[in-house]
Amino acid sequence: METKSTFVTDPPQRRPTKIYAIDPMMGRIPGNRIGIDVLNEPLEAGPVGERLEVIDYDGAHKRFYPAVNLDDHAILMQGGLDHSESDPRFHQQMVYAVAMRTMETFDRALGRKISFRSRKYPRLRLFPHAFHGANAFYDRSLHAVCFGYFRADENEPGANLPGQTIFTCLSHDIIAHEMTHALVDRLRRYFLEASNIDVLAFHEGFADVVALFQRFSFQELLADQIQTVHGNLREKNDLVKLAQQFGQATGMGRELRGALDVPPNPTMYRDTFEPHQRGSILVSAVFDAFFRTYQRRINYLIRIATGGTGRLPDGDLLPDLAARLAREASRAAESTLAMCIRAFDYLPPVDIRFGDYLRALVTADYELSPADEYGTRAAMIEAFRVRGIYPDGVISLAEESLIWPTADPGLPNLPMEMMETLREIMSAANAFSRTKAPSPTSATKFSESDEGTDRDLSHEASVKLWEWANANRAALMLHPDPNMKVEVHGFHTAFRVSSTGQLLTEVVAQFAQADRSSSEKRGGIPLRGGTTVVAAADGKVRYLIAKPLPSANLTDSVKKQAELRVQRQEEYLRLFDQADPMMSHFSAEELSKRMLRRGNFAALHFG
Ligand SMILES: [Zn+2]
């Protein structure tokens, strides 16, 4: 029996805190100044926790602001510091809380904790007042998210005061968006290399998807907006507008972007080049599927409430009905977002296309809930189709053709040593649902880029995994040339509870290779190939998700796909060069690295 004292001293699981659900400009609209809770972890002043570290250095004024101690009794007793535009300590609290929320959303969907440990830094660093400027960005080399602040437009400040100071670190969407860039970079480090027109757009679109959906978990705001739009979420409302204060303060006269910006139109996917705009096509597809799911979830409620007619009377919704609709909206948002994040385990390691993302979405979701109870999967397929997004190399858009092909049954199981690591992690997994998770262990020498990779794998197990991949290059569609070193990335296990209540365990590993012979010609980006392996708990390989480098070993159809990738990379480089007014001013050195620089700039900035 547990002693009484142990029971009494157990720390609470959650920490209450306060944030703006939208931003300070939205003021006191219901549901904007809210209290939320985040995972409770011991904090030092900063806040500095296990994976996040807020550093309040003002880059423009070259000074530090005093750091908040959220474990201070006085602050704890108020459930966090009160909302304040002028108190830097509230800014620190809000950045920490929203970043924690975003991270927890990923942890929950993926069934594991994403590590932010790198060789140089133990945690991701967040700088709430990093610089003077109307932007915010994630920077891999700094291992940090940097938020700017600026003065609102003097002539067109929108609902702000002319010249008022605007803090990007007080916008929920900007924090969640930039935090998502950091998380995605841990999951797929080569998605910051602009190897085709979709790659950076995917980073941007996905970051907006997370920021927008996260808002649906704020009950007070949700209930108020459901009432405002009379239950019809497709009508424009504050939930689906991204970065309102930022957009207005920079003189746009409206929010920066929104979930409803892009009506379905296949020519946009063909013709849109700028990563944020192209990303909006992805956002609109995902939201389309979400709206359909929500509609399907509430149809019966509307029928009951209207005696079967389906037509709601004018005027306010009955509070009971509004509350039920809000609950369904929040559940639909949560499950759609989880589906979007889970797809990551089924993505190739390099060179993503929107069509690959659709295939990953469908496969991951099919594995977890084959029945598709609310039709979300079918709605996703339809939403991508009407936007002209078709995956390469599939014969139809039927669910069974979109699911990634299963691996050749002749492929040997993953090595036993690795499976032992898995068992260790599994024994720690019980603790996962509380606060502890498998701790990330030392990085290996088998990748050129350990620094940015999320994984939990001992050195020894890494070696075994690397040997296994080398011994099975042909079956894994890796290039046979021994000069093309195989890198091991992102090995991890995932635990998920399916819709039927079953615990599913998976092992995922990524292998990548680079052909650097033509990097200079390609603006600094090599040709990369790679394969994601999804295996069952016994090591049996189930899916191979491959983007091979062209080689004589491949079957004709796979070789054709590989050659198409090379062509696309070249086309995209030409497209970028044509649009870049600086092209004729670059030095030879700059020219040879131009795609690397463009990738960093275009994808990482918020606006
Ligand atoms: Zn961005």
Side-chain angles (χ1 to χ4, degrees):
M1 216 179 106
E2 285 203 331
T3 61
K4 200 176 169 198
S5 65
T6 319
F7 176 74
V8 171
T9 54
D10 247 6
Q13 300 290 315
R14 312 291 299 171
R15 173 192 298 274
T17 182
K18 292 172 191 160
I19 64 164
Y20 294 110
I22 301 176
D23 54 42
M25 187 189 81
M26 302 308 284
R28 293 187 181 274
I29 71 155
N32 185 35
R33 293 167 168 237
I34 55 169
I36 61 165
D37 57 56
V38 297
L39 186 77
N40 183 21
E41 58 172 351
L43 289 177
E44 287 168 32
V48 180
E50 186 197 341
R51 290 185 284 171
L52 297 177
E53 176 171 0
V54 177
I55 304 171
D56 206 354
Y57 179 71
D58 185 327
H61 291 103
K62 303 214 179 331
R63 68 184 181 108
F64 283 94
Y65 296 112
V68 69
N69 176 8
L70 293 182
D71 280 348
D72 184 319
H73 285 210
I75 295 177
L76 284 171
M77 288 181 78
Q78 315 167 47
L81 283 174
D82 275 336
H83 304 86
S84 162
E85 271 183 271
S86 56
D87 182 352
R89 296 177 313 148
F90 175 77
H91 301 198
Q92 298 155 10
Q93 168 182 291
M94 173 150 169
V95 163
Y96 169 77
V98 177
M100 276 295 276
R101 261 290 171 117
T102 314
M103 207 161 60
E104 284 187 67
T105 304
F106 274 74
D107 289 349
R108 224 177 7 253
L110 291 171
R112 62 197 164 87
K113 266 171 110 172
I114 295 178
S115 157
F116 272 108
R117 182 174 291 279
S118 75
R119 265 196 293 244
K120 207 162 161 198
Y121 301 105
R123 312 170 187 89
L124 181 71
R125 306 181 313 150
L126 306 168
F127 291 86
H129 308 104
F131 62 98
H132 193 271
N135 227 322
F137 60 89
Y138 160 66
D139 187 310
R140 183 196 287 165
S141 59
L142 293 174
H143 206 63
V145 177
C146 299
F147 298 89
Y149 60 93
F150 62 101
R151 291 196 179 284
D153 198 284
E154 291 286 351
N155 302 313
E156 288 180 58
N160 304 289
L161 289 173
Q164 175 195 343
T165 305
I166 307 293
F167 297 98
T168 60
C169 72
L170 291 182
S171 159
H172 165 270
D173 301 341
I174 298 181
I175 305 169
H177 176 107
E178 293 305 328
M179 192 61 201
T180 303
H181 278 317
L183 285 156
V184 168
D185 196 36
R186 298 298 286 180
L187 295 169
R188 290 291 183 279
R189 66 174 290 111
Y190 296 130
F191 286 10
L192 282 183
E193 282 185 0
S195 54
N196 76 62
I197 191 168
D198 278 359
V199 183
L200 301 180
F202 176 78
H203 237 287
E204 290 307 334
F206 192 76
D208 281 355
V209 163
V210 174
L212 287 163
F213 272 128
Q214 184 151 284
R215 195 90 66 51
F216 283 79
S217 64
F218 305 146
Q219 296 303 327
E220 297 155 60
L221 180 66
L222 185 60
D224 179 65
Q225 293 297 309
I226 292 267
Q227 192 58 269
T228 308
V229 298
H230 218 60
N232 177 11
L233 286 175
R234 278 192 196 261
E235 225 170 84
K236 203 150 197 184
N237 65 78
D238 288 334
L239 290 165
V240 294
K241 294 179 190 167
L242 193 90
Q244 297 198 55
Q245 183 177 37
F246 183 91
Q248 295 205 12
T250 49
M252 285 176 67
R254 50 164 286 183
E255 70 278 6
L256 182 66
R257 294 187 287 276
L260 301 169
D261 279 1
V262 193
N265 170 3
T267 60
M268 280 201 70
Y269 182 62
R270 213 181 49 211
D271 305 332
T272 308
F273 171 78
E274 197 281 322
H276 297 88
Q277 282 172 22
R278 193 170 175 85
S280 294
I281 304 172
L282 185 77
V283 177
S284 71
V286 169
F287 267 83
D288 199 344
F290 160 70
F291 290 136
R292 281 168 201 259
T293 306
Y294 165 70
Q295 203 57 47
R296 202 153 154 173
R297 290 181 85 120
I298 64 164
N299 278 344
Y300 81 101
L301 284 170
I302 303 288
R303 279 198 301 272
I304 295 170
T306 59
T309 69
R311 280 190 306 277
L312 289 165
D314 292 344
D316 279 358
L317 297 173
L318 289 171
D320 285 350
L321 180 63
R324 288 298 302 275
L325 295 183
R327 199 159 81 197
E328 293 300 328
S330 146
R331 284 186 183 159
E334 195 184 317
S335 68
T336 311
L337 178 56
M339 177 185 181
C340 290
I341 296 172
R342 276 198 301 265
F344 264 89
D345 282 345
Y346 290 77
L347 285 177
V350 299
D351 205 28
I352 187 179
R353 305 272 302 168
F354 286 1
D356 299 325
Y357 184 60
L358 176 63
R359 296 193 74 178
L361 271 172
V362 169
T363 312
D365 192 63
Y366 176 82
E367 285 289 313
L368 202 64
S369 43
D372 194 17
E373 192 185 352
Y374 294 106
T376 313
R377 206 154 64 228
M380 283 285 182
I381 297 172
E382 178 60 11
F384 276 65
R385 186 191 69 78
V386 297
R387 287 166 180 80
I389 304 168
Y390 311 117
D392 295 327
V394 295
I395 51 164
S396 83
L397 291 179
E399 189 172 281
E400 53 280 16
S401 348
L402 290 174
I403 292 175
W404 290 116
T406 45
D408 176 354
L411 189 71
N413 284 11
L414 289 175
M416 277 321 288
E417 288 80 354
M418 227 189 62
M419 303 319 289
E420 271 154 35
T421 309
L422 168 65
R423 265 186 288 279
E424 279 167 36
I425 295 168
M426 278 183 85
S427 65
N430 283 339
F432 178 75
S433 58
R434 300 208 294 275
T435 53
K436 291 199 186 74
S439 61
T441 45
S442 66
T444 82
K445 288 275 167 272
F446 293 91
S447 116
E448 60 175 343
S449 47
D450 298 329
E451 208 161 333
T453 306
D454 145 68
R455 70 170 126 205
D456 29 49
L457 187 59
S458 72
H459 178 78
E460 221 170 299
S462 271
V463 176
K464 295 291 170 199
L465 195 56
W466 181 76
E467 286 171 356
W468 178 84
N470 271 297
N472 295 288
R473 281 191 184 216
L476 294 172
M477 290 187 245
L478 295 169
H479 200 283
D481 182 349
N483 292 322
M484 291 194 203
K485 210 173 59 159
V486 176
E487 304 163 15
V488 180
H489 289 287
F491 166 82
H492 58 78
T493 47
F495 306 94
R496 286 161 201 158
V497 179
S498 76
S499 55
T500 56
Q502 212 187 344
L503 179 71
L504 303 177
T505 315
E506 274 169 358
V507 189
V508 186
Q510 301 167 47
F511 303 101
Q513 283 178 306
D515 173 355
R516 296 179 190 286
S517 56
S518 55
S519 296
E520 232 170 82
K521 198 178 90 190
R522 294 168 196 283
I525 300 182
L527 274 179
R528 288 194 198 274
T531 302
T532 299
V533 172
V534 181
D538 61 1
K540 185 156 181 47
V541 177
R542 305 194 50 233
Y543 292 104
L544 286 185
I545 300 141
K547 291 263 170 166
L549 288 167
S551 87
N553 286 16
L554 303 170
T555 62
D556 284 349
S557 63
V558 177
K559 202 191 301 168
K560 234 160 100 189
Q561 293 295 330
E563 282 157 2
L564 180 64
R565 287 207 305 118
V566 178
Q567 274 172 29
R568 278 193 183 131
Q569 188 165 344
E570 284 161 6
E571 271 164 31
Y572 186 48
L573 179 71
R574 273 196 299 275
L575 209 61
F576 231 135
D577 286 348
Q578 280 163 11
D580 192 339
M582 295 303 290
M583 259 314 269
S584 53
H585 304 284
F586 283 147
S587 68
E589 159 79 10
E590 284 167 339
L591 214 52
S592 70
K593 292 194 177 131
R594 66 193 187 279
M595 281 313 267
L596 285 177
R597 288 193 15 194
R598 287 165 176 170
N600 281 338
F601 188 80
L604 303 176
H605 286 73
F606 182 73

